[in-house]
Amino acid sequence: MRYFAPGLLALSILFFFLAAACDQPGGSAGASSGGSSPGGGSGGGGGGTPGVLTLTSTALPLATVGQFYSTSLPFTGAQGAVFVAITSGALPTGVSMTSAGDISGSPLLTGAWGFSIEATDGVTTLFAQLTLNVQGVAGSPQLENQLRQVIAQKNIQPMPQPPALNAAQVELGRNLFFDKELSGNRDVACATCHHPRFNYGDGLNLSVGVGVGATGGVGPGRDHPAKTFVPRNAPAIYNVGMMPELFWDKRVGIPPGQQQTMTPEGPMNLPPDAAQALFPLVNVTEMRGTGHSLDSLSDSAYRQALVARLAAINDYVLMFDQAFGAGNMTVDNMARAIAAFERSQTFSNAPWDRYLRGEANALTDAQKRGASIFFGPGGCDACHSGPLLTNFSTHNVIIPQFGPGQNQGLQNREDFGFENTTGNAGNRYQFRVPSLRNVALTAPYMHNGAFNTLTEVVNHYRNKAASTNGFTGLNMVQAADLAPTLLPTQNVLQTPSQLFLNVPGNLSPQQVNDIVAFLEALTDPAAVNRMNEVPDTVPSGLTVDR
């Protein structure tokens, strides 16, 4: 089972009782008018209270993958037009809901798709939690047998179950993750670049860094008058607790054959995810910034100063005491708490996982064809192997370079990638193979967010140099700012990875589509739009980005 922090559970329980009455006869969801209106609860028997907006049932009809589905949320008692919005969770890909609560479409993925709604008629507001279950259909026996043989031959395994976690540490980490107190000018949080509204990324090619004048909050609307960009794309935090090596250049992690976490500051007695959490804090572009009272401090002293900030906030003192014991508010424990929250975002129930556990109808025929290509003639699993679909190796897949870079190479704007970690010029332009778990949620793709869609990525592997040389950047989310910074491609084209070159260049358009269908089947429904994780307030009292 997935773990939920007590604070989140308490919030969910409060949410439930504000919504009220899902346990009433008829499965109705409750309503309120600011919490004080007479008759604010739902009525029994599924009929609701006259004149009070009520959702008479939270049970949705079963859907079937690939087949058209249509239903309407059963509201009664509305005193005006009803407006409905999903506040967290999601409907399956291919299905949408109108503002009136009409749900329709053809679902592309199987599974249990839970989502929360807020509905109002202008007088009464209600909240409810619903689930749309999408069943599979029996497909081609030939495809089924072919894929099962591949799985057996390669011993392909599903994701392991999420780790057991300390509830108090997760709740502390959740608050720290969303609190801008951890940035130099108190203007960004970890969540600024890793926000649940954007599936724990930010939807940008390159994140917009810190600095006075940054606008737009989080996501594609974020901008900065000085165009301060982080040189690399912000990866989602899904499943990071299972990853031995982190960052695009693997500068933090446990290399094969070693036992201790290696970092740019030397070995650390922390797991990789906790050690990783320490480095964005001191990065001038990402969180540290300039122009504040901590400017002159070393990185170590700066982190200690952040802990001193937290120690001045009584709620944080209490939370650290509960999580780690009295007197243990330390830099390392701050990192451990952030890592604990990130580990709570571990998901292991995608259609692919359920298929690997024996549920034959969890995948469509297109997804099965895609998996057979992925693990077969496509050769994708030469790098994307194991439960996380990465072997954490590094490769040059000839991605065009743009943006500020790392003060290297052409115009001092290239990024030498893994060479920055190893000092070996043979690793130039190589970047870590990313996990493909929930990959359909985490666009843009590649180390600098060059590609907007999975189809673009697969076509890049098929077309190779033609894709690199034909890249203009004009389709990027931040094209206006980043396309003009595109560098010539001759350098990255000189040393492509052999495994990249081994990917066949004759994949048909149908095969490309099937591979993309398989990649979409790596989505765990529970991972989508986790806006329920965003706290209403944080102990510092600073604003929380929503």
Side-chain angles (χ1 to χ4, degrees), residues 167-378:
Q169 291 177 10
V170 172
E171 183 62 6
L172 169 60
R174 182 173 78 104
N175 281 273
L176 293 170
F177 191 87
F178 288 93
D179 201 332
K180 296 176 182 176
E181 190 70 26
L182 292 188
S183 60
N185 286 301
R186 297 180 169 92
D187 56 349
V188 297
C190 302
T192 302
C193 296
H194 305 278
H195 200 280
R197 181 174 297 282
F198 303 98
N199 300 304
Y200 282 112
D202 61 8
L204 297 171
N205 310 102
L206 300 178
S207 297
V208 176
V210 299
V212 177
T215 58
V218 296
R222 184 171 172 80
D223 197 8
H224 191 285
K227 305 302 179 185
T228 303
F229 294 106
V230 177
R232 295 174 183 161
N233 178 260
I237 65 171
Y238 298 129
N239 309 320
V240 295
M242 297 183 175
M243 299 183 183
E245 295 175 286
L246 297 165
F247 288 114
W248 284 105
D249 57 10
K250 301 205 301 184
R251 63 186 182 273
V252 170
I254 303 175
Q258 298 199 30
Q259 303 297 317
Q260 199 168 21
T261 299
M262 306 304 295
T263 80
E265 297 178 9
M268 288 188 177
N269 293 317
L270 289 169
D273 53 349
Q276 181 276 335
L278 295 174
F279 288 90
L281 299 175
V282 297
N283 186 290
V284 172
T285 303
E286 293 183 45
M287 293 186 73
R288 178 166 178 162
T290 59
H292 49 75
S293 62
L294 309 182
D295 267 352
S296 62
L297 298 178
S298 67
D299 287 352
S300 176
Y302 175 82
R303 295 187 188 110
Q304 293 287 352
L306 292 181
V307 172
R309 283 185 180 180
L310 300 177
I313 301 171
N314 188 57
D315 284 351
Y316 272 129
V317 174
L318 294 175
M319 294 174 78
F320 269 91
D321 287 351
Q322 291 171 352
F324 296 105
N328 285 301
M329 183 182 281
T330 66
V331 169
D332 282 0
N333 283 340
M334 174 178 66
R336 290 186 179 100
I338 294 171
F341 171 69
E342 293 181 346
R343 288 178 200 172
S344 74
Q345 307 307 309
T346 302
F347 301 98
S348 58
N349 204 34
W352 176 238
D353 294 304
R354 290 187 287 108
Y355 183 80
L356 291 175
R357 296 185 189 115
E359 188 179 329
N361 295 346
L363 296 183
T364 66
D365 278 357
Q367 292 158 0
K368 291 177 183 178
R369 288 194 304 267
S372 293
I373 298 167
F374 186 97
F375 293 102

Side-chain angles (χ1 to χ4, degrees), residues 35-72:
S36 59
S37 173
S42 67
T49 301
V52 176
L53 179 66
T54 303
L55 181 63
T56 58
S57 175
T58 57
L60 296 176
L62 181 68
T64 300
V65 71
Q67 298 181 14
F68 184 75
Y69 177 87
S70 180
T71 191
S72 296

